[in-house]
Amino acid sequence: MAKILLIEDEPAIVMGVKDNLEYEGHEVLTAEDGERGLALVRERQPDLVLLDIMLPGGNNGFALCKTLRGEGFAGGIIMLTARREEVDKVRGLNLGADDYVTKPFSVVELLARVSAVLRRGGRTVEPLARYRFGAVELDFLNYQATKGGEPLALTPREFKILKLFVENRGRVISRNELLDKIWGYTIFPTTRTVDNHIVRIRKQIEANPSTPQYIVSVRGVGYKFTG
Ligand code: CA
């Protein structure tokens, strides 16, 4: 039994696939567009994602697959393709998908591929390479960041702080933990140093730095990243 996320906008396919996977004993989550799908992968960490290519909104299946692998998602990905050209693209591009099925597919075929990918098990976890939230895109490999396509001027230390936040998304990080992990024990900055860095990062990534949406203060403790 596995946790499977189906990202698909055609209700008939969603219903059919969900029923059959649940009948096999799997837990099935569904999302009808790429944004919701990405949020569910981050929140629920499914074992396998069934990913339609043509999705409403800006995030198609190809882009989403690339994003998921860039964020280090190590579960299986099976692409659901509708056309010959899409199959060629899945094969041709190094997207990180494990397999594909072409529509219309039979339930038996889909279940066989699901079992095969799940049996193969997870891949080795890639380091966090990229992350996107709101209008901000972070490239941790090249230390590049943009907001709405415009480059941000983050220092290597600010990148390191953001990476720690992204890796611990949704968890409160205390100022002391930030000091330990970012500054280490070699120098002796104060918690005030931490706060100053957070102010600078907020100025760059937040739409409105005085009422931050992504790096939220947790009174008396520290900060929480919610992007
Ligand atoms: Ca579709």
Side-chain angles (χ1 to χ4, degrees), residues 34-62:
E35 287 299 316
R36 180 79 191 124
L38 179 59
L40 275 174
V41 171
R42 288 171 176 173
E43 281 163 28
R44 306 290 304 277
Q45 289 292 310
D47 304 298
L48 173 70
V49 176
L50 300 175
L51 179 54
D52 183 30
I53 289 175
M54 295 306 289
L55 291 164
N59 223 340
N60 75 15
F62 294 124

PDB file of all heavy atoms in Angstrom, residues 34-62:
ATOM      1  N   GLY A  34      -1.571  22.122 -11.532  1.00  0.00           N
ATOM      2  CA  GLY A  34      -0.182  21.969 -11.136  1.00  0.00           C
ATOM      3  C   GLY A  34       0.162  22.633  -9.804  1.00  0.00           C
ATOM      4  O   GLY A  34       0.934  22.098  -9.014  1.00  0.00           O
ATOM      5  N   GLU A  35      -0.431  23.791  -9.552  1.00  0.00           N
ATOM      6  CA  GLU A  35      -0.132  24.515  -8.305  1.00  0.00           C
ATOM      7  C   GLU A  35      -0.551  23.707  -7.087  1.00  0.00           C
ATOM      8  O   GLU A  35       0.192  23.543  -6.133  1.00  0.00           O
ATOM      9  CB  GLU A  35      -0.864  25.873  -8.290  1.00  0.00           C
ATOM     10  CG  GLU A  35      -0.282  26.905  -9.232  1.00  0.00           C
ATOM     11  CD  GLU A  35       1.167  27.254  -8.902  1.00  0.00           C
ATOM     12  OE1 GLU A  35       1.480  27.441  -7.720  1.00  0.00           O
ATOM     13  OE2 GLU A  35       1.979  27.312  -9.844  1.00  0.00           O
ATOM     14  N   ARG A  36      -1.780  23.204  -7.144  1.00  0.00           N
ATOM     15  CA  ARG A  36      -2.306  22.404  -6.037  1.00  0.00           C
ATOM     16  C   ARG A  36      -1.495  21.102  -5.911  1.00  0.00           C
ATOM     17  O   ARG A  36      -1.211  20.634  -4.803  1.00  0.00           O
ATOM     18  CB  ARG A  36      -3.794  22.104  -6.297  1.00  0.00           C
ATOM     19  CG  ARG A  36      -4.461  21.280  -5.246  1.00  0.00           C
ATOM     20  CD  ARG A  36      -4.851  22.103  -4.024  1.00  0.00           C
ATOM     21  NE  ARG A  36      -5.254  21.217  -2.933  1.00  0.00           N
ATOM     22  CZ  ARG A  36      -4.693  21.226  -1.721  1.00  0.00           C
ATOM     23  NH1 ARG A  36      -3.732  22.060  -1.435  1.00  0.00           N
ATOM     24  NH2 ARG A  36      -5.115  20.413  -0.793  1.00  0.00           N
ATOM     25  N   GLY A  37      -1.131  20.538  -7.060  1.00  0.00           N
ATOM     26  CA  GLY A  37      -0.333  19.317  -7.060  1.00  0.00           C
ATOM     27  C   GLY A  37       1.001  19.523  -6.366  1.00  0.00           C
ATOM     28  O   GLY A  37       1.415  18.717  -5.524  1.00  0.00           O
ATOM     29  N   LEU A  38       1.660  20.623  -6.702  1.00  0.00           N
ATOM     30  CA  LEU A  38       2.960  20.930  -6.101  1.00  0.00           C
ATOM     31  C   LEU A  38       2.812  21.106  -4.586  1.00  0.00           C
ATOM     32  O   LEU A  38       3.608  20.578  -3.796  1.00  0.00           O
ATOM     33  CB  LEU A  38       3.523  22.209  -6.734  1.00  0.00           C
ATOM     34  CG  LEU A  38       4.877  22.714  -6.226  1.00  0.00           C
ATOM     35  CD1 LEU A  38       5.961  21.662  -6.419  1.00  0.00           C
ATOM     36  CD2 LEU A  38       5.269  24.006  -6.937  1.00  0.00           C
ATOM     37  N   ALA A  39       1.753  21.811  -4.179  1.00  0.00           N
ATOM     38  CA  ALA A  39       1.518  22.020  -2.741  1.00  0.00           C
ATOM     39  C   ALA A  39       1.317  20.682  -2.030  1.00  0.00           C
ATOM     40  O   ALA A  39       1.846  20.460  -0.942  1.00  0.00           O
ATOM     41  CB  ALA A  39       0.300  22.925  -2.545  1.00  0.00           C
ATOM     42  N   LEU A  40       0.577  19.768  -2.664  1.00  0.00           N
ATOM     43  CA  LEU A  40       0.309  18.472  -2.023  1.00  0.00           C
ATOM     44  C   LEU A  40       1.566  17.612  -1.933  1.00  0.00           C
ATOM     45  O   LEU A  40       1.765  16.890  -0.960  1.00  0.00           O
ATOM     46  CB  LEU A  40      -0.782  17.716  -2.786  1.00  0.00           C
ATOM     47  CG  LEU A  40      -2.216  18.071  -2.397  1.00  0.00           C
ATOM     48  CD1 LEU A  40      -3.210  17.366  -3.323  1.00  0.00           C
ATOM     49  CD2 LEU A  40      -2.506  17.659  -0.951  1.00  0.00           C
ATOM     50  N   VAL A  41       2.412  17.684  -2.949  1.00  0.00           N
ATOM     51  CA  VAL A  41       3.669  16.921  -2.876  1.00  0.00           C
ATOM     52  C   VAL A  41       4.489  17.422  -1.694  1.00  0.00           C
ATOM     53  O   VAL A  41       5.026  16.635  -0.912  1.00  0.00           O
ATOM     54  CB  VAL A  41       4.481  17.047  -4.185  1.00  0.00           C
ATOM     55  CG1 VAL A  41       5.876  16.439  -4.016  1.00  0.00           C
ATOM     56  CG2 VAL A  41       3.754  16.352  -5.326  1.00  0.00           C
ATOM     57  N   ARG A  42       4.563  18.757  -1.534  1.00  0.00           N
ATOM     58  CA  ARG A  42       5.345  19.324  -0.439  1.00  0.00           C
ATOM     59  C   ARG A  42       4.754  18.960   0.915  1.00  0.00           C
ATOM     60  O   ARG A  42       5.478  18.641   1.848  1.00  0.00           O
ATOM     61  CB  ARG A  42       5.406  20.845  -0.583  1.00  0.00           C
ATOM     62  CG  ARG A  42       6.292  21.291  -1.731  1.00  0.00           C
ATOM     63  CD  ARG A  42       6.142  22.780  -1.956  1.00  0.00           C
ATOM     64  NE  ARG A  42       7.033  23.280  -2.995  1.00  0.00           N
ATOM     65  CZ  ARG A  42       6.991  24.526  -3.452  1.00  0.00           C
ATOM     66  NH1 ARG A  42       6.113  25.380  -2.967  1.00  0.00           N
ATOM     67  NH2 ARG A  42       7.829  24.922  -4.392  1.00  0.00           N
ATOM     68  N   GLU A  43       3.424  18.993   1.017  1.00  0.00           N
ATOM     69  CA  GLU A  43       2.776  18.744   2.310  1.00  0.00           C
ATOM     70  C   GLU A  43       2.729  17.268   2.663  1.00  0.00           C
ATOM     71  O   GLU A  43       2.920  16.889   3.811  1.00  0.00           O
ATOM     72  CB  GLU A  43       1.321  19.237   2.284  1.00  0.00           C
ATOM     73  CG  GLU A  43       1.150  20.723   2.463  1.00  0.00           C
ATOM     74  CD  GLU A  43      -0.237  21.186   2.021  1.00  0.00           C
ATOM     75  OE1 GLU A  43      -1.191  20.376   2.086  1.00  0.00           O
ATOM     76  OE2 GLU A  43      -0.359  22.342   1.585  1.00  0.00           O
ATOM     77  N   ARG A  44       2.444  16.428   1.681  1.00  0.00           N
ATOM     78  CA  ARG A  44       2.112  15.038   1.991  1.00  0.00           C
ATOM     79  C   ARG A  44       3.167  14.023   1.581  1.00  0.00           C
ATOM     80  O   ARG A  44       3.068  12.869   1.931  1.00  0.00           O
ATOM     81  CB  ARG A  44       0.756  14.679   1.339  1.00  0.00           C
ATOM     82  CG  ARG A  44      -0.391  15.636   1.698  1.00  0.00           C
ATOM     83  CD  ARG A  44      -0.833  15.502   3.146  1.00  0.00           C
ATOM     84  NE  ARG A  44      -1.209  14.145   3.479  1.00  0.00           N
ATOM     85  CZ  ARG A  44      -2.401  13.607   3.226  1.00  0.00           C
ATOM     86  NH1 ARG A  44      -3.348  14.333   2.681  1.00  0.00           N
ATOM     87  NH2 ARG A  44      -2.675  12.364   3.554  1.00  0.00           N
ATOM     88  N   GLN A  45       4.146  14.439   0.806  1.00  0.00           N
ATOM     89  CA  GLN A  45       5.237  13.539   0.401  1.00  0.00           C
ATOM     90  C   GLN A  45       4.740  12.170  -0.094  1.00  0.00           C
ATOM     91  O   GLN A  45       4.994  11.148   0.543  1.00  0.00           O
ATOM     92  CB  GLN A  45       6.221  13.342   1.569  1.00  0.00           C
ATOM     93  CG  GLN A  45       7.055  14.579   1.859  1.00  0.00           C
ATOM     94  CD  GLN A  45       8.047  14.866   0.721  1.00  0.00           C
ATOM     95  OE1 GLN A  45       8.786  13.978   0.285  1.00  0.00           O
ATOM     96  NE2 GLN A  45       8.033  16.080   0.212  1.00  0.00           N
ATOM     97  N   PRO A  46       4.026  12.148  -1.221  1.00  0.00           N
ATOM     98  CA  PRO A  46       3.520  10.872  -1.720  1.00  0.00           C
ATOM     99  C   PRO A  46       4.656   9.946  -2.191  1.00  0.00           C
ATOM    100  O   PRO A  46       5.762  10.405  -2.459  1.00  0.00           O
ATOM    101  CB  PRO A  46       2.642  11.276  -2.908  1.00  0.00           C
ATOM    102  CG  PRO A  46       3.158  12.609  -3.332  1.00  0.00           C
ATOM    103  CD  PRO A  46       3.666  13.278  -2.094  1.00  0.00           C
ATOM    104  N   ASP A  47       4.350   8.642  -2.258  1.00  0.00           N
ATOM    105  CA  ASP A  47       5.333   7.670  -2.757  1.00  0.00           C
ATOM    106  C   ASP A  47       5.417   7.735  -4.279  1.00  0.00           C
ATOM    107  O   ASP A  47       6.441   7.393  -4.870  1.00  0.00           O
ATOM    108  CB  ASP A  47       4.918   6.248  -2.358  1.00  0.00           C
ATOM    109  CG  ASP A  47       4.742   6.133  -0.856  1.00  0.00           C
ATOM    110  OD1 ASP A  47       5.741   6.341  -0.144  1.00  0.00           O
ATOM    111  OD2 ASP A  47       3.617   5.857  -0.407  1.00  0.00           O
ATOM    112  N   LEU A  48       4.293   8.115  -4.891  1.00  0.00           N
ATOM    113  CA  LEU A  48       4.220   8.101  -6.350  1.00  0.00           C
ATOM    114  C   LEU A  48       3.298   9.225  -6.813  1.00  0.00           C
ATOM    115  O   LEU A  48       2.264   9.476  -6.206  1.00  0.00           O
ATOM    116  CB  LEU A  48       3.665   6.742  -6.814  1.00  0.00           C
ATOM    117  CG  LEU A  48       3.361   6.575  -8.295  1.00  0.00           C
ATOM    118  CD1 LEU A  48       4.641   6.537  -9.115  1.00  0.00           C
ATOM    119  CD2 LEU A  48       2.576   5.296  -8.541  1.00  0.00           C
ATOM    120  N   VAL A  49       3.691   9.871  -7.914  1.00  0.00           N
ATOM    121  CA  VAL A  49       2.842  10.899  -8.517  1.00  0.00           C
ATOM    122  C   VAL A  49       2.462  10.454  -9.923  1.00  0.00           C
ATOM    123  O   VAL A  49       3.328  10.081 -10.717  1.00  0.00           O
ATOM    124  CB  VAL A  49       3.574  12.267  -8.591  1.00  0.00           C
ATOM    125  CG1 VAL A  49       2.708  13.307  -9.302  1.00  0.00           C
ATOM    126  CG2 VAL A  49       3.931  12.768  -7.197  1.00  0.00           C
ATOM    127  N   LEU A  50       1.158  10.458 -10.204  1.00  0.00           N
ATOM    128  CA  LEU A  50       0.677  10.242 -11.572  1.00  0.00           C
ATOM    129  C   LEU A  50       0.388  11.623 -12.127  1.00  0.00           C
ATOM    130  O   LEU A  50      -0.449  12.353 -11.593  1.00  0.00           O
ATOM    131  CB  LEU A  50      -0.597   9.393 -11.570  1.00  0.00           C
ATOM    132  CG  LEU A  50      -0.468   7.997 -10.967  1.00  0.00           C
ATOM    133  CD1 LEU A  50      -1.822   7.305 -10.920  1.00  0.00           C
ATOM    134  CD2 LEU A  50       0.512   7.160 -11.785  1.00  0.00           C
ATOM    135  N   LEU A  51       1.103  11.980 -13.180  1.00  0.00           N
ATOM    136  CA  LEU A  51       1.128  13.378 -13.593  1.00  0.00           C
ATOM    137  C   LEU A  51       0.682  13.567 -15.032  1.00  0.00           C
ATOM    138  O   LEU A  51       1.360  13.139 -15.968  1.00  0.00           O
ATOM    139  CB  LEU A  51       2.570  13.891 -13.390  1.00  0.00           C
ATOM    140  CG  LEU A  51       2.907  15.317 -13.748  1.00  0.00           C
ATOM    141  CD1 LEU A  51       1.983  16.303 -13.058  1.00  0.00           C
ATOM    142  CD2 LEU A  51       4.355  15.607 -13.380  1.00  0.00           C
ATOM    143  N   ASP A  52      -0.475  14.209 -15.175  1.00  0.00           N
ATOM    144  CA  ASP A  52      -0.985  14.555 -16.497  1.00  0.00           C
ATOM    145  C   ASP A  52      -0.101  15.653 -17.095  1.00  0.00           C
ATOM    146  O   ASP A  52       0.471  16.461 -16.365  1.00  0.00           O
ATOM    147  CB  ASP A  52      -2.430  15.060 -16.347  1.00  0.00           C
ATOM    148  CG  ASP A  52      -3.075  15.374 -17.676  1.00  0.00           C
ATOM    149  OD1 ASP A  52      -2.718  14.721 -18.685  1.00  0.00           O
ATOM    150  OD2 ASP A  52      -3.938  16.269 -17.712  1.00  0.00           O
ATOM    151  N   ILE A  53       0.013  15.680 -18.410  1.00  0.00           N
ATOM    152  CA  ILE A  53       0.878  16.699 -19.023  1.00  0.00           C
ATOM    153  C   ILE A  53       0.127  17.997 -19.297  1.00  0.00           C
ATOM    154  O   ILE A  53       0.581  19.076 -18.941  1.00  0.00           O
ATOM    155  CB  ILE A  53       1.549  16.152 -20.304  1.00  0.00           C
ATOM    156  CG1 ILE A  53       2.589  15.111 -19.887  1.00  0.00           C
ATOM    157  CG2 ILE A  53       2.201  17.276 -21.095  1.00  0.00           C
ATOM    158  CD1 ILE A  53       3.246  14.396 -21.015  1.00  0.00           C
ATOM    159  N   MET A  54      -1.052  17.900 -19.902  1.00  0.00           N
ATOM    160  CA  MET A  54      -1.812  19.117 -20.189  1.00  0.00           C
ATOM    161  C   MET A  54      -2.693  19.450 -18.996  1.00  0.00           C
ATOM    162  O   MET A  54      -3.706  18.812 -18.753  1.00  0.00           O
ATOM    163  CB  MET A  54      -2.673  18.933 -21.445  1.00  0.00           C
ATOM    164  CG  MET A  54      -1.862  18.730 -22.721  1.00  0.00           C
ATOM    165  SD  MET A  54      -0.657  20.047 -22.997  1.00  0.00           S
ATOM    166  CE  MET A  54      -1.777  21.395 -23.416  1.00  0.00           C
ATOM    167  N   LEU A  55      -2.286  20.471 -18.246  1.00  0.00           N
ATOM    168  CA  LEU A  55      -3.020  20.864 -17.041  1.00  0.00           C
ATOM    169  C   LEU A  55      -3.425  22.327 -17.152  1.00  0.00           C
ATOM    170  O   LEU A  55      -2.737  23.106 -17.807  1.00  0.00           O
ATOM    171  CB  LEU A  55      -2.131  20.686 -15.808  1.00  0.00           C
ATOM    172  CG  LEU A  55      -1.787  19.259 -15.398  1.00  0.00           C
ATOM    173  CD1 LEU A  55      -0.616  19.245 -14.431  1.00  0.00           C
ATOM    174  CD2 LEU A  55      -2.999  18.569 -14.788  1.00  0.00           C
ATOM    175  N   PRO A  56      -4.526  22.716 -16.511  1.00  0.00           N
ATOM    176  CA  PRO A  56      -4.894  24.129 -16.525  1.00  0.00           C
ATOM    177  C   PRO A  56      -3.895  24.952 -15.717  1.00  0.00           C
ATOM    178  O   PRO A  56      -3.199  24.420 -14.855  1.00  0.00           O
ATOM    179  CB  PRO A  56      -6.279  24.140 -15.858  1.00  0.00           C
ATOM    180  CG  PRO A  56      -6.347  22.883 -15.069  1.00  0.00           C
ATOM    181  CD  PRO A  56      -5.455  21.896 -15.750  1.00  0.00           C
ATOM    182  N   GLY A  57      -3.823  26.239 -16.005  1.00  0.00           N
ATOM    183  CA  GLY A  57      -2.875  27.096 -15.290  1.00  0.00           C
ATOM    184  C   GLY A  57      -1.516  27.038 -15.949  1.00  0.00           C
ATOM    185  O   GLY A  57      -1.311  26.351 -16.955  1.00  0.00           O
ATOM    186  N   GLY A  58      -0.560  27.746 -15.380  1.00  0.00           N
ATOM    187  CA  GLY A  58       0.740  27.898 -16.015  1.00  0.00           C
ATOM    188  C   GLY A  58       1.663  26.704 -15.909  1.00  0.00           C
ATOM    189  O   GLY A  58       2.646  26.608 -16.630  1.00  0.00           O
ATOM    190  N   ASN A  59       1.365  25.775 -15.009  1.00  0.00           N
ATOM    191  CA  ASN A  59       2.314  24.724 -14.678  1.00  0.00           C
ATOM    192  C   ASN A  59       1.948  23.422 -15.382  1.00  0.00           C
ATOM    193  O   ASN A  59       1.150  22.647 -14.868  1.00  0.00           O
ATOM    194  CB  ASN A  59       2.252  24.516 -13.160  1.00  0.00           C
ATOM    195  CG  ASN A  59       3.625  24.358 -12.552  1.00  0.00           C
ATOM    196  OD1 ASN A  59       4.579  24.043 -13.239  1.00  0.00           O
ATOM    197  ND2 ASN A  59       3.701  24.548 -11.249  1.00  0.00           N
ATOM    198  N   ASN A  60       2.503  23.125 -16.560  1.00  0.00           N
ATOM    199  CA  ASN A  60       2.143  21.860 -17.186  1.00  0.00           C
ATOM    200  C   ASN A  60       2.949  20.712 -16.574  1.00  0.00           C
ATOM    201  O   ASN A  60       3.830  20.911 -15.749  1.00  0.00           O
ATOM    202  CB  ASN A  60       2.253  21.926 -18.713  1.00  0.00           C
ATOM    203  CG  ASN A  60       3.688  21.892 -19.208  1.00  0.00           C
ATOM    204  OD1 ASN A  60       4.615  21.546 -18.481  1.00  0.00           O
ATOM    205  ND2 ASN A  60       3.880  22.260 -20.459  1.00  0.00           N
ATOM    206  N   GLY A  61       2.618  19.484 -17.002  1.00  0.00           N
ATOM    207  CA  GLY A  61       3.238  18.308 -16.400  1.00  0.00           C
ATOM    208  C   GLY A  61       4.740  18.249 -16.575  1.00  0.00           C
ATOM    209  O   GLY A  61       5.460  17.810 -15.674  1.00  0.00           O
ATOM    210  N   PHE A  62       5.234  18.686 -17.728  1.00  0.00           N
ATOM    211  CA  PHE A  62       6.687  18.672 -17.962  1.00  0.00           C
ATOM    212  C   PHE A  62       7.389  19.579 -16.954  1.00  0.00           C
ATOM    213  O   PHE A  62       8.368  19.197 -16.321  1.00  0.00           O
ATOM    214  CB  PHE A  62       7.021  19.170 -19.376  1.00  0.00           C
ATOM    215  CG  PHE A  62       6.531  18.269 -20.472  1.00  0.00           C
ATOM    216  CD1 PHE A  62       5.695  18.765 -21.462  1.00  0.00           C
ATOM    217  CD2 PHE A  62       6.915  16.934 -20.534  1.00  0.00           C
ATOM    218  CE1 PHE A  62       5.241  17.943 -22.480  1.00  0.00           C
ATOM    219  CE2 PHE A  62       6.471  16.103 -21.551  1.00  0.00           C
ATOM    220  CZ  PHE A  62       5.624  16.616 -22.528  1.00  0.00           C
TER     221      PHE A  62
END
